[in-house]
Amino acid sequence: MTNVSHVTSFTLKGFVELQKHKYLFFAITLNEYILIVICNSVLISIICLNKVLHEPMYIFLCALCVNALYGTIAFYPKLLIDLLSDEQVISYEACIIQIFIHYSYAMSEFSLLTVMAFDRYISICKPLQYNRIMTVSFVKALLFTAWCLPIFMVSILIALTTRLTLCGSVLERICCDNWSVVKLSCQDTSVNNIIGLLLLIITVFPPLFFIIYTYMQIISICVKNSREYRSKAFKTCVPHVVAFINFSINVLFEIIHSRLQTTVPHIIKILMSIEYLVIPPVLNPIIYGLKLQEIWKRLGTVICVKRISQSK
């Protein structure tokens, strides 16, 4: 990757207000990151170590947790270092890598949530065909697409950004984002804007419409069935619905912050810009861990076995 601009690093100006209470923010951020790592790692371990959970629904959930760890690794360590530093600087290469990870994480999250909606749709609306449709090879293909397609799209975005000559090196953020870097360009950025909006539309709207469609079908089927059937469907669908709405709202905040001019206080802008990296990674495993009974049972078994072994 060749940097054709004279800019070799960026100064992150979003830390100005955070520096007033940097130790408090450092403690909150560190605890948040530890919680994310623990919650997602525990869920991944439970699913991987228990063959009973080697079903599509839990495999997709495991993928969602892996994606959370992937997305936050480019954000939290750097943020923790910057909170305790006098100067918040990031190299051009590190900034591009951070953009790549953040954007591919966000796109993969949408893809995985869409795949999970499809899985729930087949399970509830076509239960007799579930095993025939959701084969091991098909599940692998869905996961491959959910991860590789976002990587391909983000690669296009990064390629367009790295061709630009930059005339500035100050980002009004606490982490790098593509639009902030593009705005520093001395060149015409029309192509970047058009491609960026197209990729945004492709990433957000097809999954949104598909998920709405699947849940309309699920609701239609549930209405026609017994209360017990509706209860079972409700328990498996609620975590997914909450996860999708939560992530969509957080991404919407990021779009509003990066693309639109707002008059909200600077600290609120900062929170809006990073919510998709803060809330979903810790909330998703907690939601699924509490709502999906099979995971809760397995976690209880692990805790009981550990206590028995310690008592011996």
Side-chain angles (χ1 to χ4, degrees):
M1 185 183 295
T2 304
N3 181 6
V4 297
S5 73
H6 64 277
V7 174
T8 58
S9 63
F10 297 99
T11 300
L12 301 172
K13 285 293 185 180
F15 286 89
V16 174
E17 290 192 22
L18 297 182
Q19 287 296 303
K20 299 174 184 177
H21 307 287
K22 63 180 182 180
Y23 295 112
L24 173 62
F25 285 116
F26 178 84
I28 294 172
T29 303
L30 180 60
N31 286 321
E32 169 81 12
Y33 190 41
I34 290 172
L35 189 61
I36 287 173
V37 172
I38 291 174
C39 288
N40 286 280
S41 298
V42 166
L43 212 54
I44 291 169
S45 300
I46 290 171
I47 293 170
C48 290
L49 296 175
N50 290 273
K51 291 185 178 181
V52 177
L53 300 179
H54 291 182
E55 299 176 4
M57 178 174 67
Y58 299 108
I59 292 171
F60 295 141
L61 174 56
C62 185
L64 202 67
C65 293
V66 170
N67 193 52
L69 294 177
Y70 162 74
T72 53
I73 197 171
F75 173 68
Y76 280 92
K78 173 61 177 168
L79 177 61
L80 289 168
I81 293 170
D82 284 338
L83 283 170
L84 297 182
S85 301
D86 294 327
E87 293 184 354
Q88 292 75 38
V89 178
I90 185 170
S91 69
Y92 179 90
E93 292 77 12
C95 185
I96 294 299
I97 291 171
Q98 195 174 67
I99 292 170
F100 180 86
I101 293 177
H102 287 176
Y103 280 53
S104 58
Y105 151 74
M107 290 183 179
S108 295
E109 193 84 355
F110 266 117
S111 299
L112 289 168
L113 288 169
T114 304
V115 167
M116 293 173 80
F118 176 73
D119 174 69
R120 292 300 82 210
Y121 164 72
I122 299 297
S123 175
I124 295 170
C125 299
K126 300 181 179 181
L128 298 178
Q129 301 178 46
Y130 185 81
N131 291 330
R132 183 177 62 82
I133 296 173
M134 301 302 292
T135 60
V136 174
S137 58
F138 186 59
V139 169
K140 288 180 180 178
L142 288 174
L143 286 175
F144 180 82
T145 304
W147 269 321
C148 291
L149 186 59
I151 289 174
F152 172 72
M153 291 194 293
V154 175
S155 297
I156 295 173
L157 206 63
I158 295 297
L160 290 171
T161 300
T162 54
R163 73 180 177 84
L164 297 174
T165 300
L166 306 181
C167 294
S169 61
V170 177
L171 302 176
E172 299 293 332
R173 305 280 298 235
I174 63 173
C175 62
C176 292
D177 77 290
N178 189 67
W179 182 239
S180 295
V181 173
V182 169
K183 287 193 294 185
L184 298 176
S185 175
C186 313
Q187 304 170 230
D188 177 48
T189 59
S190 299
V191 175
N192 295 71
N193 296 340
I194 293 170
I195 298 298
L197 286 173
L198 282 175
L199 292 177
L200 179 64
I201 291 169
I202 291 170
T203 301
V204 174
F205 288 102
L208 177 63
F209 292 143
F210 179 78
I211 290 173
I212 290 173
Y213 169 77
T214 58
Y215 275 102
M216 286 175 64
Q217 296 300 310
I218 289 171
I219 291 170
S220 176
I221 291 293
C222 288
V223 168
K224 299 174 185 177
N225 280 275
S226 65
R227 180 179 295 180
E228 184 181 351
Y229 188 91
R230 289 197 296 270
S231 177
K232 185 178 179 181
F234 179 79
K235 288 178 181 178
T236 59
C237 289
V238 165
H240 177 267
V241 172
V242 173
F244 179 74
I245 292 175
N246 172 51
F247 189 74
S248 299
I249 291 173
N250 288 311
V251 170
L252 178 62
F253 283 161
E254 163 61 10
I255 294 170
I256 291 172
H257 171 67
S258 62
R259 289 277 178 174
L260 303 177
Q261 294 295 325
T262 57
T263 57
V264 297
H266 183 66
I267 188 66
I268 301 299
K269 286 184 179 182
I270 291 174
L271 294 174
M272 286 172 64
S273 69
I274 63 171
E275 273 195 296
Y276 75 106
L277 288 163
V278 173
I279 299 177
V282 71
L283 188 61
N284 288 350
I286 292 175
I287 292 172
Y288 279 99
L290 292 176
K291 285 292 182 181
L292 297 181
Q293 291 182 356
E294 197 62 44
I295 289 179
W296 188 247
K297 288 177 184 177
R298 297 293 160 182
L299 179 59
T301 302
V302 170
I303 294 172
C304 289
V305 170
K306 188 174 180 181
R307 286 181 177 176
I308 292 170
S309 62
Q310 287 178 345
S311 64
K312 291 181 179 179

